[in-house]
């Protein structure tokens, strides 16, 4: 049988094609306007492709590049710096923190010489010459602490120190009491920077379990300064002119400032990461790489500098208003600091008046305070981190700021004990070593409280440590300014025994419950806080 011929109708028909999305279908040349249809489909394809590419570009541009450390061992992170680099920065910050309080109290033994030259007879004005420097300590950190969180620790710290250096030198050339008081206040504003910023630097450099020894050194500096200052000032007043009080401290501070330019590098993580982000922005080529938002892990939606400045400058006030930790510890530290400065101004009257010692010899009794401060500080420096790690290990390796509080317990006992001993033994019929023992115990109790409180505040408010310390410093500095002003009237009316007994009773009522209160309730208070570390 012959094969059938193919059907002519099938051979001439256009083949059926099923279109696939995104693929142009073959077109029969016999179809009317086929070339126009092909052109339209091709244009549609190109348009769709461009839209998809633009969408990808927009999603890429909208996705920000978040800048952070390159892992936990990033050498650019200050907490991973070498031992030498960390302790060089710690030493410079502690030196800044030391020289400023030296200036605050060094002129106390020379105040009578200054009063004689300027014709000052009012005892309160004479005391004001010394304490006005400490009054500036109250206000400077409220501005300088937040500024260090905007522009960096090192930059603000060193500029503030240069301000202090200039006005401290100006004090040496003062021609009347008004100039001296004004220059002292302005110098104190610059000298106050290390009191808040220094703690922030140490919080940047050291992890909580490593922080104890560094803060022990840093906490000792502002308390040891007022001890060494009057001792040196007494011999200067006896052997030379009072103006050398300011010339000598200016020379020493100039040397420290030069060292700071070389060894004090920036430590604040948000500033370091912002610098890294700036380098990334500069390296990006808008033509070859997609332009993206580059920000750090610390940046929020309100990155505008006005918002940042507003928040930073009001943060110390917000912390004091809303944070019970800052309120309670700030009040107690204010009392301790005020008591210290009260002692600084009454030591000359005890040993020059009661024991009839010459100015230079009487000034040596400040070393009793220094022995207590230094001895307790060195012991506590070795114990702070050990105590912290002991409780951290008991808590499955999780540390808490409350583990810094145990040294406050002996501190809260030694302080009133020293006040009792000093007040009731400062009599001509009792050997001068007895009040010196009491003064040493006051020094020991003061430094134990200071170190515990400062490490607790830094651990609890690490990122905003400068602002938290500024809030605490404000009230302690007001007390350091005010206590010496009422001291002469109190001791003239009550005597050393009753006067120091009142102070000891206040120390017991305020100080003894404090460590136990925060040990049991500190974590609950921190959990309710907006700024504290949980």
């Amino acid at each position: 049988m012959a094969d059938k011929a193919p059907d002519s109708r099938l051979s001439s028909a256009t083949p059926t094609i099923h279109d696939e999305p995104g693929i142009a279908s073959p077109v029969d040349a016999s179809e009317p306007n086929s070339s126009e249809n092909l052109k339209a489909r091709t244009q549609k394809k190109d348009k769709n492709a461009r839209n998809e590419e633009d969408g990808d570009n927009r999603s890429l541009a909208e996705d920000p590049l978040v800048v952070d450390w390159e892992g936990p061992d990033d050498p650019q992170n200050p907490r991973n710096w070498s031992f030498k680099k960390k302790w060089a920065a710690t030493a410079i910050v502690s030196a800044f923190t030391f020289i400023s309080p030296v200036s605050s109290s060094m002129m106390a033994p020379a105040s009578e010489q200054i009063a004689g030259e300027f014709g000052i007879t009012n005892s309160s004005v004479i005391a004001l010459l010394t304490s006005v420097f400490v009054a500036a300590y109250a206000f400077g950190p409220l501005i300088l602490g937040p500024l260090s969180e905007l522009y960096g620790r090192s930059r603000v710290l060193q500029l503030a120190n240069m301000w202090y250096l200039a006005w401290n030198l100006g004090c040496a050339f003062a021609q009347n009491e008004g100039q001296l008081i004004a220059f002292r206040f302005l110098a104190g504003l610059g000298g106050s920077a290390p009191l808040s910023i220094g703690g922030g630097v140490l919080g940047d450099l050291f992890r909580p379990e490593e922080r104890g020894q560094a803060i022990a050194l840093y906490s000792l500096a502002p308390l040891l300064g007022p001890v060494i200052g009057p001792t040196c000032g007494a011999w200067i007043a006896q052997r030379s002119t009072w103006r050398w009080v300011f010339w000598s401290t200016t020379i020493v501070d100039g040397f420290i400032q030069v060292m700071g330019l070389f060894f004090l590098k920036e430590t604040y993580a948000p500033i370091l990461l912002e610098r890294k982000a700036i380098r990334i922005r500069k390296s990006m080529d808008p033509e070859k790489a997609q332009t993206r938002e580059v920000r750090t892990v610390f940046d929020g939606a309100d990155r505008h500098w006005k918002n940042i400045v507003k928040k930073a400058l009001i943060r110390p006030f917000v912390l004091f208003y809303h944070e019970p930790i800052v309120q309670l510890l700030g009040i107690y530290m204010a009392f301790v600091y005020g008591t210290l400065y009260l002692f600084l101004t009454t030591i000359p009257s005890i040993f020059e008046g009661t024991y009839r010692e010459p100015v230079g010899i009487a000034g040596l009794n400040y070393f009793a305070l220094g022995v207590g401060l230094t001895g307790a500080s060195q012991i506590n420096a070795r114990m702070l981190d050990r105590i912290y790690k002991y409780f951290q290990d008991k808590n499955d390796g999780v540390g808490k700021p409350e583990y810094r509080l145990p040294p406050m317990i002996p501190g809260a006992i030694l302080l009133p004990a020293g006040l009792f001993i000093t007040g009731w033994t400062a009599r001509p019929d009792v050997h001068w070593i007895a009040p010196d023992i009491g003064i040493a115990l006051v020094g020991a109790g003061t430094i134990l409280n200071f170190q515990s409180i400062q490490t607790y505040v830094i651990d609890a408010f690490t990122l905003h440590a400068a602002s938290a310390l500024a809030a605490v410093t404000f009230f302690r500095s007001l007390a350091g300014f005010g206590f010496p002003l009422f001291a002469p009237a109190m001791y003239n009316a009550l005597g050393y025994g009753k006067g120091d007994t009142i102070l000891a009773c206040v120390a017991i009522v305020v100080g003894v419950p404090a460590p136990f209160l925060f040990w049991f309730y500190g974590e609950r208070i921190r959990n309710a806080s907006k700024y504290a570390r949980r």
Side-chain angles (χ1 to χ4, degrees):
M1 179 190 284
D3 293 337
K4 293 183 178 180
D7 191 338
S8 60
R9 289 174 299 178
L10 295 176
S11 64
S12 62
T14 303
T16 303
I17 304 294
H18 298 281
D19 293 341
E20 296 181 16
I23 301 178
S25 301
V27 180
D28 185 6
S30 65
E31 184 179 346
N33 300 324
S34 60
S35 60
E36 288 81 356
N37 291 339
L38 177 61
K39 182 178 180 180
R41 293 188 181 186
T42 303
Q43 291 175 344
K44 184 177 180 180
K45 170 192 172 184
D46 294 340
K47 184 178 180 180
N48 290 338
R50 284 195 301 271
N51 289 340
E52 290 179 5
E53 183 177 354
D54 291 342
D56 292 340
N57 293 343
R58 281 195 299 271
S59 64
L60 183 62
E62 291 170 359
D63 186 21
L65 177 62
V66 180
V67 178
D68 199 354
W69 301 119
E70 301 296 332
D73 299 320
D74 187 347
Q76 299 302 314
N77 186 341
R79 293 190 176 182
N80 295 324
W81 285 359
S82 67
F83 178 86
K84 289 184 179 179
K85 192 173 181 180
K86 284 184 180 182
W87 278 94
T90 301
I92 296 298
V93 169
S94 299
F96 281 143
T97 313
F98 169 77
I99 191 62
S100 175
V102 166
S103 294
S104 74
S105 57
M106 191 171 179
M107 67 165 289
S111 57
E112 294 297 330
Q113 188 184 115
I114 297 170
E117 182 172 330
F118 292 154
I120 306 171
T121 56
N122 189 317
S123 61
S124 296
V125 175
I126 295 173
L128 183 64
L129 295 175
T130 300
S131 61
V132 70
F133 192 96
V134 185
Y137 278 4
F139 300 97
L142 296 177
I143 304 297
L144 298 174
L147 285 179
S148 75
E149 296 171 357
L150 291 173
Y151 302 108
R153 315 281 200 204
S154 177
R155 182 182 303 172
V156 175
L157 187 58
Q158 299 202 52
L159 288 175
N161 183 69
M162 292 178 188
W163 174 276
Y164 152 75
L165 189 149
W167 289 110
N168 188 64
L169 181 61
C171 290
F173 296 97
Q175 300 301 311
N176 55 60
E177 64 180 278
Q179 289 182 3
L180 184 57
I181 290 173
F183 293 167
R184 287 273 290 169
F185 183 81
L186 292 170
L189 289 177
S192 67
L195 301 179
S196 60
I197 301 175
V201 172
L202 301 187
D204 298 337
L205 288 172
F206 296 95
R207 294 175 175 83
E209 64 272 14
E210 306 168 341
R211 205 172 282 158
Q213 289 191 359
I215 294 180
L217 176 62
Y218 166 73
S219 300
L220 178 64
L223 302 179
L224 197 58
V227 172
I228 294 177
T231 304
C232 298
W235 288 103
I236 290 174
Q238 186 171 321
R239 303 284 182 175
S240 182
T241 172
W242 62 269
R243 298 183 188 274
W244 263 106
V245 167
F246 301 102
W247 288 332
S248 59
T249 50
T250 300
I251 292 170
V252 174
D253 185 61
F255 173 76
I256 296 171
Q257 178 59 62
V258 171
M259 299 297 289
L261 294 174
F262 289 99
F263 296 108
L264 184 58
K265 306 301 181 183
E266 185 53 59
T267 62
Y268 192 46
I271 296 296
L272 294 175
L273 291 178
E274 179 60 30
R275 291 177 182 175
K276 183 178 179 180
I278 291 172
R279 291 193 299 269
I280 292 174
R281 292 187 195 107
K282 289 181 178 180
S283 67
M284 296 177 73
D285 185 355
E287 296 180 358
K288 295 182 179 179
Q290 301 302 327
T291 303
R292 302 171 64 182
E293 178 191 4
V294 180
R295 60 181 177 85
T296 73
V297 291
F298 297 101
D299 290 331
D302 53 347
R303 298 183 60 211
H304 195 275
W305 68 271
K306 289 184 179 180
N307 295 326
I308 297 174
V309 170
K310 181 180 178 182
K311 286 186 177 181
L313 292 181
I314 67 172
R315 189 178 294 124
F317 302 97
V318 172
L319 286 170
F320 190 83
Y321 184 77
H322 290 289
E323 300 291 343
I325 293 173
V326 177
Q327 293 168 357
L328 296 176
L329 293 181
I331 291 171
Y332 181 53
M333 186 178 275
F335 171 78
V336 174
Y337 199 70
T339 303
L340 174 69
Y341 267 83
L342 185 146
F343 258 67
L344 293 174
T345 56
T346 55
I347 284 176
S349 63
I350 290 175
F351 293 97
E352 291 176 34
T354 303
Y355 291 99
R356 305 297 180 186
E357 295 178 352
V359 175
I361 299 299
L364 294 177
N365 292 281
Y366 283 101
F367 281 122
L369 192 61
V371 168
L373 290 168
T374 307
S377 174
Q378 292 305 305
I379 295 172
N380 198 34
R382 288 163 172 77
M383 298 303 297
L384 266 175
D385 288 338
R386 291 183 184 180
I387 293 172
Y388 186 92
K389 295 190 78 172
Y390 170 78
F391 286 109
Q392 184 183 41
D393 292 341
K394 289 186 67 175
N395 195 36
D396 297 327
V398 179
K400 296 179 181 180
E402 286 73 32
Y403 299 159
R404 300 296 190 186
L405 295 175
M408 276 188 72
I409 298 173
I413 295 171
L414 291 174
L415 179 60
L419 288 168
F420 279 124
I421 293 172
T422 303
W424 292 106
T425 59
R427 305 196 310 268
D429 59 322
V430 178
H431 193 275
W432 57 263
I433 196 66
D436 272 350
I437 292 172
I439 291 170
L441 293 179
V442 168
T446 298
I447 193 63
L448 291 175
N449 283 302
F450 255 64
Q451 289 176 342
S452 295
I453 291 172
Q454 289 215 327
T455 49
Y456 183 79
V457 170
I458 292 171
D459 283 1
F461 300 93
T462 304
L463 187 61
H464 302 299
S467 292
L469 289 174
V472 172
T473 300
F474 176 77
F475 289 93
R476 94 180 193 200
S477 299
L478 286 181
F481 165 70
F483 273 44
L485 298 182
F486 71 74
M490 182 182 75
Y491 286 122
N492 288 337
L494 301 175
Y496 293 113
K498 292 180 180 179
D500 283 348
T501 297
I502 292 173
L503 294 175
C505 291
V506 175
I508 293 171
V509 171
V510 177
V512 173
F516 299 100
L517 177 68
F518 284 102
W519 182 266
F520 291 108
Y521 300 105
E523 185 173 9
R524 185 185 303 177
I525 295 172
R526 285 188 294 106
N527 289 336
S529 168
K530 178 180 177 182
Y531 295 97
R533 178 169 69 90
R534 288 160 173 78

